[in-house]
Coordinates of all heavy atoms in Angstrom, one line a residue:
M1 N 111.0 183.0 183.3 CA 111.6 181.7 183.0 C 110.5 180.7 182.9 O 109.5 180.8 183.7 CB 112.6 181.5 184.2 CG 113.7 180.5 183.8 SD 115.1 180.5 185.0 CE 114.3 180.3 186.5
T2 N 110.7 179.7 182.1 CA 109.7 178.6 182.0 C 109.9 177.6 183.1 O 110.8 177.6 183.8 CB 109.9 178.0 180.6 OG1 111.1 177.3 180.5 CG2 109.7 178.9 179.5
A3 N 108.9 176.6 183.1 CA 109.0 175.6 184.1 C 110.2 174.8 184.1 O 110.6 174.2 185.1 CB 107.7 174.7 184.0
D4 N 110.8 174.6 182.9 CA 112.0 173.7 182.8 C 113.3 174.5 182.9 O 114.3 174.2 182.4 CB 111.9 172.9 181.6 CG 111.9 173.7 180.3 OD1 111.8 174.9 180.4 OD2 112.0 173.2 179.2
D5 N 113.2 175.6 183.6 CA 114.4 176.5 183.9 C 115.1 176.9 182.6 O 116.3 176.8 182.5 CB 115.4 175.7 184.8 CG 114.8 175.4 186.1 OD1 114.1 176.3 186.7 OD2 115.1 174.4 186.7
R6 N 114.3 177.5 181.7 CA 114.8 177.9 180.4 C 114.3 179.3 180.0 O 113.1 179.6 180.4 CB 114.3 176.8 179.3 CG 115.0 177.0 178.0 CD 114.6 175.9 177.1 NE 113.4 176.3 176.4 CZ 112.5 175.5 175.9 NH1 112.7 174.2 175.9 NH2 111.5 175.9 175.3
F7 N 115.0 180.0 179.3 CA 114.6 181.3 178.8 C 115.1 181.4 177.4 O 116.2 181.2 177.0 CB 115.3 182.4 179.7 CG 115.0 183.8 179.2 CD1 113.8 184.4 179.3 CD2 116.0 184.5 178.5 CE1 113.5 185.7 178.8 CE2 115.8 185.8 178.0 CZ 114.5 186.4 178.1
D8 N 114.2 181.8 176.5 CA 114.5 181.9 175.1 C 114.3 183.4 174.6 O 113.4 184.1 175.1 CB 113.5 181.1 174.2 CG 113.8 179.6 174.4 OD1 114.8 179.2 175.0 OD2 112.9 178.8 173.9
T9 N 115.2 183.8 173.8 CA 115.1 185.2 173.2 C 115.7 185.1 171.8 O 116.5 184.1 171.4 CB 115.8 186.2 174.1 OG1 115.6 187.5 173.5 CG2 117.4 185.9 174.1
R10 N 115.4 186.0 170.9 CA 116.0 186.1 169.6 C 117.2 187.0 169.6 O 117.3 187.9 170.4 CB 114.9 186.6 168.6 CG 113.8 185.6 168.5 CD 112.9 185.9 167.3 NE 111.8 185.0 167.2 CZ 111.9 183.8 166.7 NH1 113.0 183.3 166.1 NH2 110.8 183.0 166.6
I11 N 118.1 186.7 168.6 CA 119.3 187.5 168.5 C 119.5 187.9 167.1 O 119.2 187.1 166.1 CB 120.5 186.7 169.1 CG1 121.8 187.5 169.1 CG2 120.8 185.5 168.2 CD1 122.1 188.1 170.4
D12 N 120.0 189.1 166.9 CA 120.2 189.6 165.5 C 121.6 189.3 165.1 O 122.6 189.9 165.6 CB 120.0 191.1 165.5 CG 120.2 191.7 164.1 OD1 120.4 191.0 163.1 OD2 120.1 193.0 164.0
V13 N 121.8 188.3 164.2 CA 123.2 187.9 163.8 C 123.8 189.0 162.8 O 124.9 188.8 162.4 CB 123.2 186.5 163.2 CG1 122.9 185.5 164.3 CG2 122.2 186.3 162.1
Q14 N 123.0 189.9 162.4 CA 123.6 191.1 161.6 C 124.3 192.0 162.5 O 125.2 192.7 162.2 CB 122.5 191.8 160.8 CG 121.8 190.9 159.9 CD 122.7 190.3 158.8 OE1 123.6 191.0 158.3 NE2 122.4 189.1 158.5
T15 N 123.9 192.1 163.8 CA 124.5 192.9 164.8 C 125.6 192.2 165.6 O 126.7 192.8 165.8 CB 123.4 193.4 165.8 OG1 122.4 194.0 165.1 CG2 124.0 194.4 166.9
Y16 N 125.4 191.0 165.9 CA 126.4 190.2 166.7 C 126.9 189.0 165.9 O 126.1 188.2 165.4 CB 125.7 189.7 168.0 CG 125.2 190.8 168.9 CD1 123.8 191.0 169.0 CD2 126.1 191.6 169.6 CE1 123.4 192.1 169.8 CE2 125.6 192.6 170.4 CZ 124.2 192.9 170.5 OH 123.8 193.9 171.3
R17 N 128.1 188.9 165.8 CA 128.8 187.8 165.0 C 128.6 186.5 165.9 O 128.7 186.5 167.1 CB 130.3 188.0 164.9 CG 130.6 189.4 164.2 CD 132.1 189.8 164.6 NE 132.2 191.2 164.7 CZ 132.9 191.9 163.8 NH1 133.6 191.3 162.9 NH2 132.9 193.2 163.9
P18 N 128.5 185.4 165.2 CA 128.4 184.1 165.8 C 129.6 183.9 166.8 O 129.4 183.3 167.9 CB 128.3 183.1 164.7 CG 127.7 183.9 163.6 CD 128.2 185.2 163.7
A19 N 130.8 184.3 166.4 CA 131.9 184.1 167.2 C 131.8 184.8 168.6 O 132.1 184.3 169.6 CB 133.2 184.5 166.5
A20 N 131.3 186.0 168.5 CA 131.1 186.8 169.7 C 130.0 186.2 170.6 O 130.2 186.1 171.8 CB 130.7 188.3 169.4
I21 N 129.0 185.6 170.0 CA 127.9 184.9 170.8 C 128.6 183.7 171.5 O 128.3 183.5 172.7 CB 126.8 184.5 169.8 CG1 126.1 185.7 169.2 CG2 125.8 183.7 170.6 CD1 125.2 185.4 168.1
K22 N 129.4 183.0 170.8 CA 130.0 181.8 171.4 C 130.9 182.2 172.5 O 130.9 181.6 173.6 CB 130.7 181.0 170.3 CG 129.8 180.3 169.3 CD 130.7 179.7 168.2 CE 129.8 179.2 167.1 NZ 130.6 178.7 166.0
K23 N 131.7 183.2 172.3 CA 132.6 183.6 173.4 C 131.9 184.2 174.6 O 132.2 183.9 175.8 CB 133.6 184.7 172.9 CG 134.6 184.2 171.9 CD 135.5 185.3 171.4 CE 136.4 184.7 170.3 NZ 137.3 185.8 169.8
A24 N 130.8 184.9 174.4 CA 130.0 185.4 175.5 C 129.3 184.2 176.3 O 129.3 184.2 177.5 CB 128.9 186.4 175.0
A25 N 128.9 183.3 175.5 CA 128.3 182.1 176.1 C 129.3 181.3 177.0 O 129.0 180.8 178.1 CB 127.7 181.1 175.0
Y26 N 130.5 181.2 176.5 CA 131.5 180.6 177.3 C 131.8 181.3 178.6 O 132.0 180.7 179.7 CB 132.8 180.5 176.5 CG 133.9 179.9 177.2 CD1 134.0 178.5 177.4 CD2 135.0 180.7 177.8 CE1 135.0 177.9 178.1 CE2 136.0 180.1 178.5 CZ 136.0 178.7 178.6 OH 137.1 178.1 179.3
R27 N 131.7 182.6 178.5 CA 132.0 183.4 179.7 C 130.9 183.3 180.8 O 131.2 183.6 182.0 CB 132.1 184.9 179.4 CG 133.4 185.1 178.5 CD 134.0 186.4 178.9 NE 135.2 186.5 178.1 CZ 135.9 187.6 178.1 NH1 135.6 188.6 178.9 NH2 137.0 187.8 177.3
V28 N 129.7 182.9 180.4 CA 128.6 182.7 181.5 C 128.3 181.3 181.7 O 127.3 180.9 182.3 CB 127.4 183.5 181.1 CG1 127.6 185.0 181.0 CG2 126.8 183.0 179.8
A29 N 129.2 180.4 181.2 CA 128.9 178.9 181.3 C 128.8 178.5 182.7 O 128.1 177.4 183.0 CB 130.1 178.2 180.6
E30 N 129.4 179.2 183.7 CA 129.3 178.8 185.1 C 127.9 179.0 185.6 O 127.4 178.3 186.5 CB 130.3 179.5 186.0 CG 130.4 179.1 187.4 CD 131.4 179.9 188.1 OE1 132.6 179.7 187.7 OE2 131.1 180.6 189.0
R31 N 127.2 179.9 185.0 CA 125.8 180.3 185.5 C 124.7 179.6 184.7 O 123.7 179.4 185.3 CB 125.6 181.8 185.4 CG 126.5 182.7 186.2 CD 126.3 184.1 185.8 NE 127.3 184.9 186.5 CZ 127.0 186.1 187.0 NH1 125.8 186.6 186.9 NH2 128.0 186.8 187.6
C32 N 125.0 179.4 183.4 CA 123.9 178.8 182.6 C 124.6 178.3 181.3 O 125.7 178.6 181.0 CB 122.8 179.8 182.3 SG 123.4 181.2 181.4
T33 N 123.8 177.5 180.6 CA 124.1 177.1 179.3 C 123.4 178.0 178.2 O 122.2 178.2 178.3 CB 123.8 175.6 179.0 OG1 124.4 174.8 180.0 CG2 124.2 175.1 177.6
V34 N 124.2 178.4 177.3 CA 123.5 179.3 176.2 C 123.7 178.5 174.8 O 124.9 178.2 174.5 CB 124.2 180.7 176.1 CG1 123.5 181.5 175.0 CG2 124.1 181.4 177.5
R35 N 122.6 178.3 174.2 CA 122.7 177.7 172.9 C 122.1 178.5 171.8 O 121.1 179.2 172.0 CB 122.0 176.3 172.9 CG 122.7 175.3 173.7 CD 122.1 173.9 173.6 NE 120.8 173.9 173.1 CZ 119.9 172.9 173.4 NH1 120.2 171.9 174.1 NH2 118.7 172.9 172.8
L36 N 122.7 178.5 170.6 CA 122.2 179.2 169.5 C 121.3 178.2 168.7 O 121.8 177.2 168.2 CB 123.3 179.8 168.6 CG 123.0 180.8 167.6 CD1 122.3 182.0 168.1 CD2 124.3 181.2 166.9
E37 N 120.0 178.4 168.6 CA 119.0 177.5 168.0 C 118.5 178.1 166.7 O 118.2 179.3 166.7 CB 117.9 177.2 168.9 CG 118.3 176.6 170.2 CD 118.6 175.1 170.1 OE1 118.1 174.5 169.1 OE2 119.3 174.6 171.0
P38 N 118.4 177.3 165.7 CA 117.7 177.8 164.4 C 116.3 178.1 164.6 O 115.7 177.6 165.5 CB 117.9 176.7 163.4 CG 118.1 175.5 164.2 CD 118.7 175.9 165.5
S39 N 115.7 179.0 163.8 CA 114.3 179.4 163.9 C 113.7 179.6 162.5 O 114.5 179.6 161.5 CB 114.1 180.6 164.7 OG 114.5 181.7 164.1
D40 N 112.5 179.8 162.4 CA 111.8 180.0 161.1 C 112.1 181.4 160.6 O 112.0 181.7 159.4 CB 110.3 179.8 161.3 CG 110.0 178.4 161.6 OD1 110.8 177.5 161.3 OD2 108.9 178.1 162.1
S41 N 112.5 182.3 161.4 CA 112.8 183.7 161.0 C 114.3 183.9 160.7 O 115.1 183.0 160.8 CB 112.3 184.7 162.1 OG 113.2 184.6 163.2
D42 N 114.7 185.1 160.4 CA 116.1 185.5 160.1 C 116.9 185.6 161.4 O 118.1 185.6 161.4 CB 116.1 186.8 159.4 CG 115.7 186.6 158.0 OD1 115.6 185.5 157.4 OD2 115.3 187.7 157.3
E43 N 116.1 185.6 162.5 CA 116.8 185.8 163.8 C 116.8 184.5 164.6 O 115.7 184.0 165.0 CB 116.1 186.9 164.7 CG 116.2 188.2 164.1 CD 115.5 189.3 164.9 OE1 114.6 188.9 165.6 OE2 116.0 190.4 164.9
P44 N 117.9 183.8 164.8 CA 118.0 182.6 165.5 C 117.6 182.8 167.0 O 117.5 183.9 167.5 CB 119.4 182.1 165.4 CG 120.2 183.2 165.0 CD 119.3 184.2 164.3
I45 N 117.3 181.7 167.7 CA 116.9 181.8 169.1 C 118.1 181.5 169.9 O 118.9 180.6 169.7 CB 115.8 180.8 169.4 CG1 114.6 181.1 168.6 CG2 115.5 180.7 170.9 CD1 113.5 180.0 168.6
L46 N 118.3 182.4 171.0 CA 119.3 182.1 172.0 C 118.5 181.4 173.2 O 117.5 181.9 173.7 CB 119.9 183.4 172.6 CG 121.0 183.9 171.9 CD1 121.5 185.2 172.6 CD2 122.2 183.0 171.8
R47 N 118.9 180.2 173.5 CA 118.2 179.4 174.6 C 119.2 179.4 175.8 O 120.2 178.8 175.7 CB 117.9 178.0 174.1 CG 117.3 177.2 175.1 CD 116.5 176.0 174.6 NE 115.4 176.6 173.9 CZ 114.7 175.9 172.9 NH1 115.2 174.8 172.4 NH2 113.7 176.5 172.4
F48 N 118.7 180.0 176.9 CA 119.4 180.0 178.1 C 118.8 178.9 179.0 O 117.6 178.9 179.2 CB 119.3 181.3 178.9 CG 119.9 182.5 178.2 CD1 119.2 183.1 177.2 CD2 121.1 183.0 178.6 CE1 119.8 184.2 176.5 CE2 121.7 184.0 178.0 CZ 121.0 184.7 176.9
T49 N 119.7 177.9 179.4 CA 119.2 176.9 180.3 C 120.0 177.0 181.6 O 121.2 177.1 181.6 CB 119.4 175.5 179.7 OG1 118.9 175.5 178.4 CG2 118.8 174.4 180.5
F50 N 119.2 177.0 182.7 CA 119.7 177.3 184.1 C 119.7 176.0 184.9 O 118.9 175.1 184.7 CB 118.9 178.3 184.8 CG 118.9 179.6 184.0 CD1 117.9 179.9 183.1 CD2 120.0 180.5 184.1 CE1 117.9 181.1 182.4 CE2 119.9 181.7 183.4 CZ 118.9 182.0 182.5
P51 N 120.6 175.9 185.8 CA 120.6 174.7 186.8 C 119.3 174.7 187.5 O 118.7 175.8 187.7 CB 121.8 175.0 187.7 CG 122.7 176.0 187.0 CD 121.8 176.8 186.1
P52 N 118.9 173.5 188.0 CA 117.7 173.4 188.8 C 117.7 174.4 190.0 O 118.8 174.6 190.6 CB 117.7 172.0 189.3 CG 118.6 171.3 188.3 CD 119.6 172.3 187.8
R53 N 116.6 174.9 190.4 CA 116.4 175.8 191.5 C 117.2 177.1 191.4 O 117.5 177.7 192.4 CB 116.8 175.0 192.8 CG 115.8 173.9 193.1 CD 116.2 173.2 194.4 NE 117.4 172.5 194.4 CZ 117.7 171.3 193.7 NH1 116.8 170.7 193.1 NH2 118.8 170.7 193.9
T54 N 117.4 177.6 190.1 CA 117.9 178.9 189.9 C 116.8 179.9 190.1 O 115.8 179.8 189.6 CB 118.5 179.0 188.5 OG1 119.6 178.1 188.3 CG2 119.1 180.4 188.3
S55 N 117.0 180.9 190.9 CA 116.0 181.9 191.2 C 115.9 182.8 189.9 O 116.8 182.9 189.1 CB 116.4 182.8 192.4 OG 117.5 183.6 192.1
D56 N 114.7 183.4 189.8 CA 114.4 184.3 188.7 C 115.4 185.5 188.7 O 115.9 185.9 187.7 CB 113.0 184.8 188.8 CG 112.0 183.8 188.5 OD1 112.3 182.7 187.9 OD2 110.8 184.1 188.7
T57 N 115.8 185.9 189.9 CA 116.8 187.0 190.0 C 118.1 186.6 189.5 O 118.8 187.3 188.7 CB 116.9 187.5 191.5 OG1 115.6 187.8 192.0 CG2 117.8 188.6 191.6
A58 N 118.6 185.4 189.9 CA 119.9 184.9 189.4 C 119.9 184.6 187.9 O 120.8 184.9 187.2 CB 120.2 183.6 190.1
A59 N 118.7 184.1 187.4 CA 118.6 183.9 185.9 C 118.6 185.2 185.2 O 119.3 185.3 184.2 CB 117.3 183.1 185.7
A60 N 117.9 186.2 185.7 CA 117.9 187.5 185.0 C 119.3 188.1 185.0 O 119.7 188.7 184.0 CB 116.9 188.5 185.7
E61 N 120.0 187.9 186.1 CA 121.4 188.5 186.2 C 122.3 187.8 185.2 O 123.2 188.4 184.6 CB 121.9 188.3 187.6 CG 123.3 188.7 187.8 CD 123.6 190.3 187.6 OE1 122.6 191.0 187.4 OE2 124.8 190.7 187.6
A62 N 122.1 186.5 185.1 CA 123.0 185.7 184.1 C 122.7 186.2 182.7 O 123.7 186.4 181.9 CB 122.7 184.2 184.3
V63 N 121.5 186.4 182.3 CA 121.1 187.0 181.0 C 121.7 188.3 180.8 O 122.3 188.6 179.8 CB 119.6 186.9 180.8 CG1 119.3 187.6 179.4 CG2 119.1 185.5 180.8
R64 N 121.6 189.2 181.8 CA 122.2 190.5 181.8 C 123.7 190.5 181.5 O 124.2 191.1 180.7 CB 121.9 191.3 183.0 CG 122.4 192.8 183.0 CD 122.4 193.4 184.3 NE 123.4 192.9 185.2 CZ 124.7 193.2 185.1 NH1 125.1 194.0 184.2 NH2 125.6 192.7 186.0
V65 N 124.4 189.6 182.3 CA 125.8 189.5 182.2 C 126.2 188.9 180.8 O 127.2 189.4 180.2 CB 126.4 188.5 183.3 CG1 127.8 188.1 183.0 CG2 126.3 189.2 184.6
F66 N 125.4 188.0 180.3 CA 125.6 187.5 178.9 C 125.6 188.6 177.9 O 126.5 188.7 177.1 CB 124.6 186.4 178.5 CG 124.7 186.1 177.1 CD1 125.6 185.2 176.6 CD2 123.8 186.7 176.2 CE1 125.7 184.8 175.3 CE2 123.9 186.4 174.8 CZ 124.9 185.5 174.4
Y67 N 124.6 189.5 178.0 CA 124.5 190.6 177.0 C 125.6 191.6 177.2 O 126.1 192.2 176.2 CB 123.1 191.2 177.0 CG 122.1 190.4 176.2 CD1 121.2 189.6 176.8 CD2 122.2 190.5 174.8 CE1 120.3 188.9 176.0 CE2 121.3 189.8 174.0 CZ 120.3 189.0 174.6 OH 119.5 188.2 173.9
Q68 N 126.1 191.8 178.4 CA 127.2 192.7 178.6 C 128.5 192.0 178.0 O 129.2 192.7 177.4 CB 127.4 192.8 180.1 CG 128.3 193.9 180.5 CD 128.3 194.2 182.0 OE1 127.8 193.3 182.8 NE2 128.7 195.3 182.4
E69 N 128.7 190.8 178.2 CA 129.8 190.1 177.6 C 129.7 190.0 176.1 O 130.8 190.2 175.4 CB 129.9 188.6 178.2 CG 130.3 188.5 179.6 CD 131.7 189.0 180.0 OE1 132.5 189.1 179.1 OE2 131.9 189.3 181.2
L70 N 128.5 189.9 175.6 CA 128.3 189.8 174.1 C 128.7 191.2 173.5 O 129.4 191.2 172.5 CB 126.9 189.5 173.8 CG 126.5 189.5 172.3 CD1 127.3 188.5 171.6 CD2 125.0 189.2 172.2
L71 N 128.3 192.3 174.1 CA 128.7 193.6 173.6 C 130.3 193.7 173.7 O 130.9 194.2 172.7 CB 128.1 194.7 174.4 CG 128.4 196.1 174.0 CD1 128.1 196.4 172.5 CD2 127.7 197.1 174.9
D72 N 130.9 193.3 174.8 CA 132.3 193.4 174.9 C 133.0 192.6 173.8 O 133.9 193.1 173.2 CB 132.7 192.8 176.3 CG 134.2 193.0 176.6 OD1 134.7 194.1 176.4 OD2 134.8 191.9 176.9
E73 N 132.6 191.4 173.6 CA 133.2 190.5 172.6 C 133.0 191.1 171.1 O 133.9 191.1 170.3 CB 132.7 189.1 172.6 CG 133.1 188.3 173.8 CD 134.6 188.1 173.9 OE1 135.3 188.2 172.9 OE2 135.0 188.0 175.1
E74 N 131.8 191.7 170.9 CA 131.6 192.3 169.6 C 132.5 193.5 169.4 O 133.0 193.6 168.3 CB 130.1 192.7 169.5 CG 129.7 193.2 168.1 CD 130.0 192.2 166.9 OE1 129.8 190.9 167.2 OE2 130.4 192.6 165.8
L75 N 132.6 194.3 170.4 CA 133.5 195.4 170.3 C 135.0 195.0 170.1 O 135.7 195.7 169.4 CB 133.4 196.3 171.5 CG 132.0 197.1 171.5 CD1 131.9 197.9 172.9 CD2 131.9 198.1 170.4
R76 N 135.4 194.0 170.8 CA 136.8 193.5 170.6 C 137.0 193.0 169.2 O 138.0 193.3 168.6 CB 137.0 192.3 171.6 CG 137.2 192.6 173.0 CD 137.3 191.3 173.8 NE 137.3 191.6 175.2 CZ 138.3 191.5 176.0 NH1 139.5 191.3 175.5 NH2 138.1 191.8 177.3
A77 N 136.1 192.3 168.6 CA 136.1 191.9 167.2 C 136.2 193.0 166.3 O 137.0 193.0 165.3 CB 135.0 190.9 166.9
Q78 N 135.4 194.0 166.5 CA 135.4 195.2 165.7 C 136.7 195.9 165.7 O 137.3 196.3 164.7 CB 134.2 196.1 166.0 CG 134.1 197.3 165.2 CD 132.9 198.2 165.6 OE1 132.0 197.8 166.3 NE2 132.8 199.4 165.0
L79 N 137.2 196.1 166.9 CA 138.5 196.8 167.1 C 139.7 196.0 166.4 O 140.6 196.5 165.8 CB 138.8 197.0 168.6 CG 138.1 198.2 169.2 CD1 138.3 198.2 170.7 CD2 138.6 199.5 168.6
H80 N 139.5 194.7 166.5 CA 140.6 193.8 165.9 C 140.5 194.0 164.4 O 141.6 194.1 163.7 CB 140.3 192.4 166.3 CG 141.3 191.4 165.7 ND1 142.5 191.2 166.3 CD2 141.3 190.6 164.6 CE1 143.2 190.3 165.6 NE2 142.5 189.9 164.6
E81 N 139.3 194.1 163.8 CA 139.2 194.3 162.4 C 139.7 195.7 162.0 O 140.4 195.8 161.0 CB 137.7 194.2 162.0 CG 137.3 193.2 161.1 CD 135.8 193.2 160.8 OE1 135.2 194.2 160.7 OE2 135.3 192.1 160.8
E82 N 139.4 196.7 162.7 CA 139.7 198.0 162.4 C 141.2 198.3 162.5 O 141.8 199.2 161.9 CB 139.0 199.0 163.3 CG 137.5 199.1 162.9 CD 136.7 200.0 163.9 OE1 137.3 200.5 164.8 OE2 135.5 200.1 163.7
T83 N 141.9 197.6 163.4 CA 143.3 197.8 163.6 C 144.2 196.8 163.0 O 145.5 196.8 163.2 CB 143.6 197.9 165.1 OG1 143.3 196.7 165.7 CG2 142.9 199.1 165.8
D84 N 143.6 195.9 162.2 CA 144.4 194.8 161.6 C 145.5 195.3 160.7 O 146.7 194.8 160.8 CB 143.5 193.9 160.8 CG 144.2 192.6 160.3 OD1 144.9 192.0 161.1 OD2 144.0 192.3 159.1
A85 N 145.2 196.2 159.8 CA 146.3 196.8 158.9 C 147.4 197.4 159.7 O 148.6 197.2 159.4 CB 145.7 197.7 158.0
L86 N 147.1 198.2 160.7 CA 148.1 198.9 161.5 C 149.0 197.8 162.3 O 150.2 198.0 162.3 CB 147.5 199.8 162.5 CG 148.4 200.6 163.4 CD1 149.4 201.4 162.6 CD2 147.6 201.5 164.4
R87 N 148.3 196.8 162.8 CA 149.1 195.8 163.5 C 150.0 195.1 162.6 O 151.2 194.8 162.9 CB 148.2 194.8 164.2 CG 147.7 195.3 165.6 CD 146.8 194.3 166.3 NE 145.5 194.1 165.6 CZ 145.2 193.1 164.9 NH1 146.0 192.1 164.9 NH2 144.0 193.0 164.3
S88 N 149.6 194.8 161.4 CA 150.4 194.1 160.4 C 151.6 194.9 160.0 O 152.7 194.5 159.8 CB 149.6 193.7 159.1 OG 148.6 192.8 159.5
L89 N 151.4 196.2 159.9 CA 152.4 197.2 159.5 C 153.5 197.2 160.6 O 154.7 197.2 160.3 CB 151.9 198.6 159.2 CG 152.9 199.6 158.9 CD1 153.6 199.3 157.6 CD2 152.2 201.0 158.8
I90 N 153.0 197.3 161.8 CA 154.0 197.4 163.0 C 154.8 196.1 163.1 O 156.0 196.1 163.2 CB 153.2 197.6 164.3 CG1 152.7 199.0 164.3 CG2 154.1 197.4 165.5 CD1 151.7 199.3 165.4
L91 N 154.2 194.9 162.9 CA 154.9 193.6 162.9 C 155.8 193.5 161.7 O 157.0 193.1 161.9 CB 153.9 192.5 162.9 CG 153.2 192.1 164.2 CD1 152.2 191.1 164.0 CD2 154.2 191.7 165.2
A92 N 155.4 194.0 160.6 CA 156.3 193.9 159.4 C 157.5 194.7 159.6 O 158.7 194.3 159.3 CB 155.6 194.3 158.1
H93 N 157.3 196.0 160.2 CA 158.4 196.9 160.4 C 159.4 196.2 161.5 O 160.6 196.2 161.4 CB 157.9 198.2 160.9 CG 159.1 199.1 161.2 ND1 159.9 199.7 160.3 CD2 159.5 199.6 162.4 CE1 160.8 200.4 160.8 NE2 160.6 200.4 162.1
A94 N 158.8 195.7 162.5 CA 159.6 195.1 163.6 C 160.5 193.9 163.1 O 161.6 193.8 163.5 CB 158.7 194.6 164.7
F95 N 159.9 193.1 162.3 CA 160.6 191.9 161.7 C 161.5 192.3 160.5 O 162.3 191.5 160.1 CB 159.7 190.8 161.4 CG 159.2 190.1 162.7 CD1 157.9 190.2 163.0 CD2 160.1 189.4 163.5 CE1 157.4 189.6 164.2 CE2 159.6 188.8 164.6 CZ 158.3 188.9 165.0
S96 N 161.3 193.4 159.9 CA 162.1 193.8 158.7 C 163.6 194.0 159.1 O 164.4 193.8 158.2 CB 161.6 195.0 158.1 OG 161.8 196.2 158.9
R97 N 163.9 194.3 160.3 CA 165.3 194.5 160.8 C 165.9 193.3 161.4 O 166.9 193.4 162.0 CB 165.3 195.7 161.7 CG 164.8 196.9 160.9 CD 164.7 198.1 161.9 NE 164.2 199.2 161.1 CZ 164.7 200.4 161.2 NH1 165.7 200.7 161.9 NH2 164.2 201.4 160.4
T98 N 165.2 192.2 161.4 CA 165.8 190.9 162.0 C 166.0 189.9 160.9 O 165.3 189.9 159.8 CB 164.9 190.3 163.0 OG1 163.6 190.1 162.4 CG2 164.7 191.2 164.2
D99 N 166.9 189.1 161.1 CA 167.2 188.0 160.1 C 166.5 186.7 160.6 O 167.1 186.1 161.6 CB 168.7 187.8 160.0 CG 169.1 186.8 158.9 OD1 168.2 186.4 158.1 OD2 170.3 186.3 158.9
L100 N 165.4 186.5 160.1 CA 164.6 185.3 160.6 C 165.2 184.0 160.2 O 165.0 183.0 160.9 CB 163.1 185.4 160.1 CG 162.3 186.6 160.6 CD1 160.9 186.6 160.0 CD2 162.2 186.5 162.1
L101 N 165.9 184.0 159.1 CA 166.5 182.8 158.7 C 168.0 182.8 159.1 O 168.7 183.8 158.9 CB 166.4 182.6 157.1 CG 165.0 182.6 156.6 CD1 165.1 182.5 155.1 CD2 164.3 181.3 157.1
Q102 N 168.4 181.7 159.7 CA 169.9 181.7 160.1 C 170.7 181.3 158.8 O 170.4 180.3 158.2 CB 170.1 180.6 161.1 CG 169.5 181.1 162.5 CD 169.8 180.1 163.6 OE1 170.6 179.2 163.4 NE2 169.2 180.4 164.7
R103 N 171.7 182.1 158.5 CA 172.4 181.9 157.3 C 173.8 181.2 157.6 O 174.3 181.4 158.6 CB 172.7 183.2 156.6 CG 171.3 183.8 156.2 CD 171.6 185.1 155.5 NE 170.3 185.8 155.4 CZ 169.6 185.9 154.3 NH1 170.0 185.4 153.2 NH2 168.4 186.6 154.3

């Protein structure tokens, strides 16, 4: 961690969707602030900022939890994508037998 209670790392946005990054950042917001910063390379910077007097152990744990949440959010998004057609079919079938408009 740097002197100003900050940790920077790069993130592959081909692997992790920006929406998953934002959701994971929200989940660890109690422990730290996570910002997606532009960079000169294809990989943006993830900037973790910690409250004053955060121990190195607590900071490392927050980063670990962030990446765990990031993987969880990315898998949720992937499953949502993969099952979209099936969910639409089930909903269409469920509503095909109801009269949505009152006549």
